[in-house]
Amino acid sequence: MATQGERRAETRRRLLTAAAELFAERGVDGTSIDAIAERADRTSGAVYDHFGGKDGVLIALLDTWVEELGLVIGAELSTATTLAERLAVLWRNVSEPVVGGDRWISLELELWAHAARNPDAREHLVRRYRGAWKGIVELAGRSGDASPEVGPAVIGVLLGLELMRRVDPASVTDELAVAALVGVVAGTSRPDLDPQTTGATAR
Amino acid sequence: MATQGERRAETRRRLLTAAAELFAERGVDGTSIDAIAERADRTSGAVYDHFGGKDGVLIALLDTWVEELGLVIGAELSTATTLAERLAVLWRNVSEPVVGGDRWISLELELWAHAARNPDAREHLVRRYRGAWKGIVELAGRSGDASPEVGPAVIGVLLGLELMRRVDPASVTDELAVAALVGVVAGTSRPDLDPQTTGATAR
DNA sequence: GAAAAAGGATAGGACGTCCTATGTATCTCG
DNA sequence: CGAGATACATAGGACGTCCTATCCTTTTTC
């Protein structure tokens, strides 16, 4: 016989997976709380009880995924030796994620768009990604090439390339993606690049 | 005395600028047609008459900006000589756009997220960017380094880095962005890179 | 076994949005 | 100058959403 706590945990899982599907299908704003509850064979009251509202569902969903994804990536990274291999691991886990399937990138985009105009969400997002990056670096072990500052930029390139790949799949090959990532890492770990030859100016 | 056509043109402009402001402030889904009309000192009837609905407003807005942006970029590119300089021009026009101010990137993200689950929007987006890229390449003139295939990937990196810069401004310097872009171009225009050393596999 | 607490169902009100149908003032053109 | 076309306003119905208040059922605690 299932205890109350077990049932509650299952309700939470059902609500989260239902929300993940619906958010990806119709977008966050296009998904009603009632729709989430209905797909989970629950009612809206359960959603409010568990997450307090739609924003709570979104945050919980992404936090869960980022955590799991960080673990997976960290594990794979420990077996990679070269920089390119490590970056390929990152790219593979974004373009063909084991965790969360195709959906989580769509959700990420929604959240970033949301964060671009909401200071609270922005702060949450920054903390979350910095933490994830830190965890990845630690799990990867002795990687002198992955200085902490590259983290955000690497993530930015990963998201941007995946975004493009979703719209125009043929345009972003794996080789291309890895080459771009190598470029990013090289850009920060080799500040000796001559600004005059790059044409870039400090902001 | 303003003619009818002139008044119509002004109404169109007012509606578009109002929509741009509101979309950036509250997001596309969070903006009602009535709110757009109200800020433009018009009524919802005018919006429907001009654009047929909210999607029409969004498309018209982005098409206008992409067109103008393409012209600006093309003009600046003609004075750039090295590859890095050209890529720096691209980055500058994304991170500090003259056209559309800060808003258009936010809108782009919304549209991409929308396109990720809407085939029609996806097709429109692909056409628009391919056209814009083609125009840029032509305006830039004899650039053998900018092969047509890099276009989408370059745009993806631009968007991704700008996305990250908006959330965490200090994390993406201009030098870093240009270095990443150089990496992308190098990745496609030099297919002689050994896949085994990069760790990437063909999909 | 009784009391307390928790998980969840149900119903409904307040609100906002989309979009259409119709009205009206202004312009265009024969 | 008068008829038609144009540009936009106005009003309102249908719909969906959020969230609260209240109730019932099951589990835990003493």
Side-chain angles (χ1 to χ4, degrees), chain B residues 7-26:
Chain B
R7 170 157 177 83
R8 183 166 180 83
E10 190 201 336
T11 293
R12 183 188 157 92
R13 279 194 301 271
R14 296 180 68 113
L15 288 174
L16 282 180
T17 60
E21 294 172 10
L22 287 169
F23 284 169
E25 289 172 14
R26 313 178 191 174

Side-chain angles (χ1 to χ4, degrees), chain A residues 38-84:
Chain A
E38 188 183 1
R39 184 168 294 202
D41 280 322
R42 294 295 185 275
T43 59
S44 64
V47 178
Y48 287 103
D49 188 36
H50 276 268
F51 305 104
K54 197 152 65 171
D55 285 359
V57 177
L58 183 59
I59 300 271
L61 203 51
L62 290 168
D63 281 351
T64 305
W65 280 346
V66 166
E67 188 180 357
E68 295 180 14
L69 193 63
L71 291 178
V72 171
I73 289 179
E76 294 191 19
L77 277 183
S78 63
T79 69
T81 57
T82 71
L83 170 63

Side-chain angles (χ1 to χ4, degrees), chain B residues 146-167:
Chain B
S147 65
E149 309 93 54
V150 285
V154 168
I155 292 171
V157 172
L158 284 170
L159 287 176
L161 287 175
E162 172 61 13
L163 172 63
M164 183 55 67
R165 200 186 66 80
R166 301 204 133 232
V167 174

Side-chain angles (χ1 to χ4, degrees), chain B residues 4 7-8 11 42-43 50:
Chain B
Q4 246 184 19
R7 170 157 177 83
R8 183 166 180 83
T11 293
R42 295 290 187 277
T43 58
H50 276 267

Side-chain angles (χ1 to χ4, degrees), chain A residues 83-84 86-96 153-154 156-165 169-185, chain B residues 149-150 152-154 156-157 179-188 193 198-201 203:
Chain A
L83 170 63
R86 286 182 195 145
L87 294 172
V89 165
L90 291 182
W91 171 245
R92 184 166 5 96
N93 275 285
V94 168
S95 64
E96 294 174 356
V154 168
V157 172
L158 284 170
L159 287 176
L161 287 174
E162 171 61 12
L163 173 62
M164 183 56 67
R165 199 186 66 80
S171 62
V172 182
T173 66
D174 290 347
E175 292 84 0
L176 177 63
V178 173
L181 291 168
V182 170
V184 180
V185 174
Chain B
E149 309 93 54
V150 285
V154 168
V157 172
L181 291 168
V182 171
V184 180
V185 174
T188 44
L193 282 177
T198 65
T201 57
R203 191 183 301 277

Side-chain angles (χ1 to χ4, degrees), chain A residues 112 126 129-130 133 147-159 184, chain B residues 160-161 163-165 168 170-172 176:
Chain A
W112 285 89
V126 170
Y129 267 101
R130 287 206 172 137
W133 183 257
S147 65
E149 309 93 52
V150 285
V154 168
I155 292 172
V157 172
L158 284 170
L159 287 176
V184 180
Chain B
L161 287 175
L163 172 63
M164 183 55 67
R165 200 186 66 80
D168 195 359
S171 62
V172 182
L176 177 63

Side-chain angles (χ1 to χ4, degrees), chain B residues 12-80:
Chain B
R12 183 188 157 92
R13 279 194 301 271
R14 296 180 68 113
L15 288 174
L16 282 180
T17 60
E21 294 172 10
L22 287 169
F23 284 169
E25 289 172 14
R26 313 178 191 174
V28 174
D29 285 303
T31 300
S32 74
I33 290 192
D34 286 331
I36 297 173
E38 190 183 0
R39 184 167 294 202
D41 280 321
R42 295 290 187 277
T43 58
S44 66
V47 178
Y48 286 102
D49 188 37
H50 276 267
F51 304 105
K54 198 151 67 171
D55 286 358
V57 177
L58 184 59
I59 302 268
L61 203 52
L62 290 168
D63 280 352
T64 304
W65 281 346
V66 166
E67 187 180 356
E68 295 180 13
L69 193 62
L71 291 180
V72 172
I73 289 178
E76 294 191 19
L77 277 183
S78 63
T79 70

